[in-house]
Amino acid sequence: MSKKLSQPQEIVIVTGASTGMGAATAREMARRGFHVLAGVRRDSDGEALLAAGVEPVILDITDQDHIAALVARVHGDPKQRAVRALVNNAGIPGAGPVEVVPIDAWRRLFEVNVFGTVALTQALLPALVRSKGRVVNISSLNGKVSMAGYGAYASSKFAVEALSDALRNELAPYGVQVVVVEPGGVKTEMARLGLASLSDLSARMTPEQNARYGALTQAIPSHVAAFTKAGVTADTAARKIAKAVTDRKPRTRYTIGAMATFLIRVSRFLPDRVLDRMTTSDLRKHYPDQVKYGRATAGHHA
């Protein structure tokens, strides 16, 4: 059973709370009685959260001034509330073949998904150690299973998994627990936003690259849409994240959604080549018909 609110009221910090899973998590934690500091990018993003009893704070996790302001807010809390948890949810998506995703896009993914997460965690760890709080890092199914077309994003989430393992062992002697949450498909806008640059990426591919990856880049939007449609709602995901925050003896990892649970489980014991065939077969269902049914090569489509 999840441990509910302890007294006195504690602070939970949720990053990336402008919309989707982060906003739903902020509302869920407030509903459970925590004082939630919700990181948003714009004042307008925070207006809807105010009605749910959430305190929005302007936070770009790649901005050191924003991080410093949040730390000052925590340390100067007028009620001297302890920090129960930091939920590192902020992140950006990305898609495209490894060869053609620009190196600057790779850097941006890591800057937000990895380095921003590390920077904020470093800044708040003194408070978390004092309160014996908890770090909850939102990873992804792609943090355990990487597949064609998702290499850049998956690489950043594999890094989140690795830093979480190290942090868990480093902080265990001091009573700070580190938990990873691995969502599969979640019905939010994030997936759609991650595809925004894919058409531009396709347009900039050389003829040789198009021959290699043309069908793949056409398949990704359909694959993402199907995966998202089959996923859980943001509110369902938020309840699982809340368990990661409040369970008295949390697991080291929680998965969200049946597909994530299945794929992560089988990835532990299936040979790499078998897992490759599974993920490739799933992707090929979304290839253009003339490629899917073998009437043309991957680079020649109508």
Side-chain angles (χ1 to χ4, degrees):
M1 180 179 290
S2 295
K3 180 184 175 185
K4 301 300 183 182
L5 174 66
S6 61
Q7 296 295 333
Q9 189 184 43
E10 297 167 306
I11 290 173
V12 171
I13 300 158
V14 181
T15 69
S18 291
T19 59
M21 197 163 61
T25 300
R27 292 192 298 266
E28 177 67 18
M29 298 314 301
R31 187 186 68 78
R32 293 178 181 228
F34 292 94
H35 184 81
V36 180
L37 301 178
V40 298
R41 297 296 298 273
R42 294 169 293 273
D43 288 332
S44 58
D45 295 334
E47 290 172 2
L49 294 173
L50 284 169
V54 173
E55 179 184 343
V57 294
I58 298 299
L59 180 64
D60 174 348
I61 62 172
T62 67
D63 188 315
Q64 286 300 319
D65 290 339
H66 287 188
I67 291 175
L70 175 60
V71 172
R73 166 65 186 85
V74 170
H75 288 172
D77 184 65
K79 297 184 180 179
Q80 297 183 316
R81 289 169 287 206
V83 181
R84 173 60 176 270
L86 165 62
V87 180
N88 282 313
N89 171 72
I92 58 173
V98 169
E99 182 182 349
V100 298
V101 173
I103 195 66
D104 285 347
W106 279 84
R107 290 193 176 102
R108 178 62 180 163
L109 273 167
F110 272 74
E111 188 64 36
V112 177
N113 295 356
V114 183
F115 305 139
T117 294
V118 171
L120 184 61
T121 304
Q122 287 177 333
L124 287 167
L125 273 179
L128 287 160
V129 169
R130 283 195 298 271
S131 63
K132 291 183 168 54
R134 191 170 298 183
V135 178
V136 178
N137 287 333
I138 309 303
S139 176
S140 168
L141 160 64
N142 292 120
K144 287 293 190 182
V145 179
S146 187
M147 62 191 80
Y150 299 89
Y153 178 74
S155 295
S156 72
K157 290 301 185 178
F158 266 67
V160 169
E161 297 273 349
L163 74 88
S164 299
D165 286 343
L167 199 61
R168 184 178 66 250
N169 286 285
E170 291 166 1
L171 296 177
Y174 308 104
V176 177
Q177 294 168 312
V178 178
V179 183
V180 178
V181 178
E182 299 161 333
V186 180
K187 295 173 181 176
T188 70
E189 287 293 291
M190 184 176 179
R192 182 185 62 79
L193 295 173
L195 299 173
S197 62
L198 192 59
S199 59
D200 180 57
L201 196 69
S202 299
R204 289 190 286 106
M205 288 196 298
T206 66
E208 185 181 9
Q209 290 171 339
N210 190 63
R212 283 197 284 273
Y213 311 118
L216 173 61
T217 56
Q218 288 194 57
I220 290 171
S222 173
H223 183 254
V224 170
F227 195 68
T228 303
K229 184 178 179 181
V232 302
T233 65
D235 287 339
T236 297
R239 287 191 289 273
K240 182 61 72 75
I241 294 169
K243 276 183 61 64
V245 171
T246 59
D247 278 355
R248 188 172 64 86
K249 293 183 178 179
R251 302 198 296 269
T252 58
R253 283 172 167 80
Y254 292 78
T255 56
I256 296 178
M259 183 57 72
T261 300
F262 170 73
L263 278 176
I264 290 171
R265 186 171 296 159
V266 301
S267 71
R268 294 172 185 155
F269 60 84
L270 282 182
D272 289 343
R273 301 294 187 190
V274 175
L275 189 62
D276 287 350
R277 285 196 290 273
M278 283 180 58
T279 58
T280 299
S281 174
D282 187 55
L283 265 170
R284 285 191 68 84
K285 296 174 188 175
H286 301 274
Y287 273 36
D289 285 346
Q290 68 271 31
V291 177
K292 185 165 28 180
Y293 300 117
R295 293 196 296 271
T297 63
H300 295 80
H301 31 260

